[in-house]
Structure formats: C-alpha cells, structure tokens
Amino acid sequence: MLQTVSKTGFHLLAGSTTLKSLASRYGMRRGGFARRFIAGETVEEAIDACRVIQAAGLTTTLDYLGESVASMSEADTATRAYLGVLEQIAAAGIERNVSLKLTQLGLTIDRATSVDNLRRILDAAAARQFFVRIDMENSPYTAVTLDVFETMWQQGYRNTGVVLQSCLRRSETDAARMNSLGARVRLVKGAYKEPRDVAHQAKADVDAAFVRIMRMLLADGAYPAIATHDPAMIAAADEFVRERSIAPDRFEFQMLYGIRRDLQTSLHAQGSRVRVYVPFGREWFPYFMRRLGERPANVGFVIRGIAGER
Ligand SMILES: Cc1cc2nc3c(=O)[nH]c(=O)nc-3n(C[C@H](O)[C@H](O)[C@H](O)COP(=O)(O)OP(=O)(O)OC[C@H]3O[C@@H](n4cnc5c(N)ncnc54)[C@H](O)[C@@H]3O)c2cc1C
C-alpha cells in the first residue's frame, strides 16, 4: 500500500518545476544529495565513476539521462549527444555498453524519426562493438518499444536488447517471444505506477512474476540480466542456477549506481557477474524521483542533504 502511494506521489512531484529547480540548485553540487544516485552531469564524470567500478571487477552500462523530449530538434540533439558519448567511451577505453530510452529519441513525437535516430546510434555502436540496451518506459510505450526492437532485430541488429517489467501482466508472453528470437532481456520489477488492468498491484504478485520470468530467461534466454536489489529475488536466481547447473557466465546481475553497493560487491566476490547502471547528465530529475519513490526512506537522506547545504 505504502509503496503504491509513494510511487504515485513521487510521479506527481516529478512534474513540479519548483521542486526541480530546488533540486537542480542543490542536488548535483560537490557532495550534493543526488550524487548518490547520479554519477555527474558530464560524460567525463560518468567515465570516472565507471573506472572506479570496473577497477573493483564489476562491469557498467552508461545511461545519458533524458526522456520524453518535446521536439524533434531536441531528439536530434539527444541522438548526437549519444553518438558523442559512444566516441568518448571508446576513447576512454572503458566498457562499451550503454542504455537509452526511445522517448529521448523522439518516440512520443514521431515514431519513424525516432527509429531513424535509434538506427544512427546502433550503426555507430555496431562499428565500435558496443551493446545498446533499450530501457523500458511506462506502459503506454511497452508495445511500441518491443515493436521497434523487433524491427531492428529483423533488420539484423544484434548489438541491442530490451527490458521487461515483471509488474506487467503481459511480460511472461513477451519473455517467451524474446527467448524465441534469441534476444537479450534485462528483467526488472518496473519503476512506474501502472494501472490495475495492465499491471500487478501487490508486491507479492510482482515478485512472484519476477521469479517465474527469471526462470524462463535463465533456462531458455540469451544471456539475461537479472536487474534487482532484492535479496529474495537474488536468492531465487541462485537457487535456480544451482538446480540447473547454469554457469555464472551465462547471465549477469544488474544494479543501479549507488544502491546496495554492499550487495554488488558481495555478489561479485561470490563469483557472479555484476553490472552497474551508471546514469549521468543534466536531465537527472525524473530518474532521481523514481529512485525516491522506490524507497521513501531516501527522502530523509535528501532533506538532510539540503538542510546541510543551506
Ligand atoms: C540495472 C537496472 C536497470 C533498470 N532499468 C529499468 C527500466 O528500463 N525500466 C523500468 O521500469 N525499471 C528499471 N529499473 C528499476 C526497477 O524496475 C525497479 O524499480 C528497481 O530496481 C527497484 O526494484 P528492486 O528489484 O530493487 O526491488 P524492491 O522490492 O523495490 O527493492 C528491494 C530492496 O532494494 C533496495 N532498493 C530498491 N530500490 C532502492 C532505492 N531506490 N534506493 C535505495 N534502496 C533501494 C532496498 O533495500 C529494497 O528493500 C532498473 C533497475 C536496475 C537495477
């Protein structure tokens, strides 16, 4: 119940311009409260964060934050920025793996142009051996995101993968489809407040679906990513992997930058592959608000941060 209320509340607050300007003023300063979850506003800061993570033996995926752009020129700017990010990552010699959102490339404005933008990024990525994960946004975009992904897949792009959310009722069917294609899936619980007709509402149902889909992906999928900080989900994955003798290099765990770093390190120490999702960029506010909505205790941490900086 509390989880549902907080997700709704934080999604509303994410639209507040006053809050956004307050957060922008304090959040990303040196030691600012948002720095726990966001690696920085520049690609250089994000690359530095990746170097630290990779030095500890973990891998990374870099997300240049942005979503729901309001014009095609903004979508073009975001696409060019991504192309620049690919070059900077390649030059820095860190791992070639990025995540992006289709609404950042203009999906809400014009599907065909956003697909062209994605193609520009996938082509540049393929030329430099990058993997590009297409993040999953809220449910109005599920079908179209999977559709765009499949179009790319049919056109021969193999350096890309999708995300499925266990909260959505359709995801087991989608997982079976992705397994039949041989496509790489990242499984998450889902970060958005979704209506009852499309999504499970109770945490227990979301968790049970997560375990069912995780087993499908581990048994028949192509190098799935189990993306969660939930020890119960991780234990269920470990149990299934042991039962089926699935080798540790057949899948990976993924976690978000700044969340459960203890668990990231201990999983790696036990021999699991762990990838950290490293977000950066000036458009960090909606991402940041989703992280607060997942764990209301984070709000106290933010308030203390603002009070301490004033
Ligand atoms: C690598 C990665 C990529 C993701 N990509 C997407 C995506 O494309 N689309 C999408 O909808 N969602 C995405 N998510 C978010 C995901 O859907 C969940 O909202 C998020 O991971 C929280 O769920 P959980 O599985 O950790 O379990 P929960 O049951 O929410 O949390 C389990 C435990 O994890 C810790 N925890 C979880 N969240 C936080 C937090 N914000 N701050 C501090 N501690 C926390 C707490 O200890 C909590 O008790 C992604 C998550 C990861 C890890």
Side-chain angles (χ1 to χ4, degrees):
M1 175 67 180
L2 178 65
Q3 201 191 25
T4 310
V5 172
S6 67
K7 262 194 183 179
T8 313
F10 282 102
H11 281 283
L12 290 173
L13 288 176
S16 158
T17 44
T18 316
L19 207 60
K20 185 174 180 183
S21 71
L22 191 69
S24 306
R25 197 154 142 214
Y26 295 107
M28 290 302 286
R29 290 179 172 183
R30 187 178 293 275
F33 56 81
R35 287 202 173 255
R36 175 175 162 190
F37 302 112
I38 318 291
E41 290 196 336
T42 66
V43 65
E44 288 79 8
E45 289 171 296
I47 286 172
D48 285 348
C50 289
R51 285 208 171 101
V52 172
I53 294 164
Q54 289 176 21
L58 286 73
T59 59
T60 53
T61 181
L62 253 168
D63 173 26
Y64 169 56
L65 291 165
E67 53 198 88
S68 301
V69 298
S71 69
M72 283 325 291
S73 82
E74 276 182 54
D76 185 58
T77 305
T79 306
R80 286 169 196 273
Y82 249 104
L83 294 171
V85 166
L86 297 184
E87 273 176 29
Q88 281 176 278
I89 292 175
I94 62 160
E95 219 199 336
R96 300 179 181 205
N97 192 310
V98 293
S99 296
L100 54 75
K101 291 182 175 53
L102 290 185
T103 66
Q104 186 179 15
L105 306 184
L107 182 67
T108 45
I109 309 158
D110 177 42
R111 174 174 167 165
T113 314
S114 70
V115 170
D116 283 346
N117 288 339
L118 177 62
R119 194 177 286 112
R120 284 159 69 192
I121 293 172
L122 291 181
D123 282 335
R128 295 174 179 77
Q129 292 85 45
F130 271 81
F131 181 77
V132 180
R133 178 78 61 178
I134 304 173
D135 284 348
M136 188 55 83
E137 301 179 70
N138 47 340
S139 59
Y141 302 109
T142 312
V144 66
T145 301
L146 294 176
D147 209 38
V148 167
F149 170 77
E150 271 209 57
T151 305
M152 294 301 169
W153 188 265
Q154 305 305 353
Q155 290 176 11
Y157 290 96
R158 293 291 181 272
N159 61 326
T160 181
V162 279
V163 178
L164 296 179
Q165 299 152 327
S166 72
C167 69
L168 294 190
R169 299 181 194 278
R170 57 174 289 160
S171 288
E172 285 176 68
T173 309
D174 291 332
R177 173 79 190 142
M178 291 303 135
N179 279 357
S180 74
L181 289 176
R184 276 169 66 171
V185 173
R186 172 201 292 153
L187 177 64
V188 300
K189 290 189 187 179
Y192 303 86
K193 168 77 186 120
E194 298 289 359
R196 182 173 297 277
D197 58 326
V198 298
H200 306 294
Q201 303 294 308
K203 176 174 161 55
D205 293 335
V206 175
D207 288 358
F210 191 98
V211 173
R212 287 195 300 275
I213 300 170
M214 177 187 73
R215 289 180 177 154
M216 291 170 68
L217 296 173
L218 284 170
D220 300 318
Y223 194 69
I226 311 302
T228 180
H229 317 90
D230 187 342
M233 299 299 106
I234 292 167
D238 280 343
E239 193 188 324
F240 188 71
V241 158
R242 260 198 318 275
E243 218 175 274
R244 297 291 185 99
S245 306
I246 297 170
D249 61 356
R250 293 265 319 281
F251 69 99
E252 64 186 30
F253 288 110
Q254 294 190 353
M255 294 191 207
L256 300 175
Y257 180 78
I259 299 182
R260 294 299 314 259
R261 282 172 285 207
D262 55 335
L263 198 52
Q264 296 174 14
T265 312
S266 66
L267 275 175
H268 167 66
Q270 287 160 24
S272 296
R273 291 186 170 190
V274 181
R275 185 178 304 280
V276 181
Y277 182 104
V278 180
F280 76 97
R282 294 183 61 83
E283 294 301 318
W284 52 267
F285 188 66
Y287 173 91
F288 176 72
M289 291 303 281
R290 284 197 289 277
R291 303 294 77 84
L292 293 193
E294 280 156 1
R295 192 161 179 265
N298 287 339
V299 177
F301 164 79
V302 170
I303 292 168
R304 282 195 299 281
I306 294 176
E309 285 180 61
R310 273 177 191 263

